[in-house]
Amino acid sequence: MWVKSPQAHVFMLAASLKKGIGMAELRWSESFEMGVPVMDQTHEEFIDLLAQVVQANDAQLMALWTALVEHTESHFAREDRWMKDTGFSANNCHTVHHQMVLRVLRDGKKRGDAGELAVVRQMADELVIWFSQHANTMDAALAQHLRHVGYDETTGQVRLTDALPTSAIEGCHGSNCSPDDGVQAKLETA
């Protein structure tokens, strides 16, 4: 069975996150691998698109942001489907987090299309930090769960049905996870 220790799985923001001229950049490395091939490939694509956004000139920025938004919609929809297929309910924190981030990304597109490119650049910088945290916590837990139940992310089949939870995994198990919580406010300050 594929397992990483929490220490090995930490994304080492200091190594992955480079501060340039007011912009953050995230780079793919093996430390991001979760042992779920489709998830790993999608995350690598996300990081590559985000790096292009961060490095884009003004003329390229909105086309690349739009590509990132579209990729992220597909990325999150796939993960949400995996959660549903394996016993996470529709109101779990991971899905709610996806909904909040997509709302912010779509707002960034509207604002960027209206000429507010500085807002989009700030959102991209925040997205670098957000992704590392999200992947290290929520995606890592999902990957572990998918491996535990023997989920085939390409076919949607669960090999170890006895390992599925007996009731849907909901909420944050002790934390409020409504769309109105502090995460939403933090993301919207960009």
Side-chain angles (χ1 to χ4, degrees), residues 3 18 24 31 39 41 50 52 56 58 61-65 90 103 113 118 134 149 152 157 160 167 170 178:
V3 178
K18 292 192 170 229
S31 68
M39 180 185 282
Q41 178 183 347
L50 183 55
Q52 290 176 47
D58 287 352
L61 182 62
M62 289 317 297
L64 290 167
W65 184 262
R103 206 167 27 245
D113 287 345
H134 178 82
V149 301
D152 182 328
Q157 299 298 306
L160 305 171
S167 62
E170 297 185 38
S178 74

Side-chain angles (χ1 to χ4, degrees), residues 39 75-90 92-98 134 138-139 142-143 145-146 151 164-165 168-169:
M39 180 185 282
H75 167 178
F76 288 176
R78 185 179 307 113
E79 286 184 11
D80 291 346
R81 186 178 63 250
W82 295 343
M83 287 186 274
K84 184 178 178 189
D85 289 351
T86 61
F88 280 75
S89 72
N92 72 74
C93 277
H94 196 155
T95 299
V96 171
H97 217 233
H98 286 169
H134 178 82
M138 294 184 182
D139 287 343
L142 175 58
H145 172 73
L146 295 175
Y151 186 72
L164 288 170
I169 299 169

Side-chain angles (χ1 to χ4, degrees), residues 20 57 59 68 70 95 102 110 141 144 149 152 155 179:
N57 62 37
L68 180 67
E70 290 170 358
T95 299
L102 281 174
K110 288 178 190 171
Q144 181 180 15
V149 301
D152 182 328
T155 66

Side-chain angles (χ1 to χ4, degrees), residues 105-169:
L105 292 176
R106 291 171 182 145
D107 182 57
K109 179 168 176 10
K110 288 178 190 171
R111 293 181 70 178
D113 287 345
E116 297 181 60
L117 300 184
V119 171
V120 174
R121 291 189 186 286
Q122 183 179 352
M123 286 181 170
D125 284 349
E126 293 295 326
L127 200 54
V128 168
I129 297 164
W130 169 83
F131 177 76
S132 292
Q133 294 170 349
H134 178 82
N136 191 42
T137 56
M138 294 184 182
D139 287 343
L142 175 58
Q144 181 180 15
H145 172 73
L146 295 175
R147 291 188 312 270
H148 177 74
V149 301
Y151 186 72
D152 182 328
E153 68 273 17
T154 57
T155 66
Q157 299 298 306
V158 176
R159 287 189 326 271
L160 305 171
T161 55
D162 290 347
L164 288 170
T166 56
S167 62
I169 299 169

Side-chain angles (χ1 to χ4, degrees), residues 19-35:
K19 288 290 185 181
I21 306 167
M23 298 189 301
E25 183 180 343
L26 185 66
R27 295 175 193 236
W28 176 259
S29 74
E30 288 181 10
S31 68
F32 286 100
E33 291 180 3
M34 308 248 176

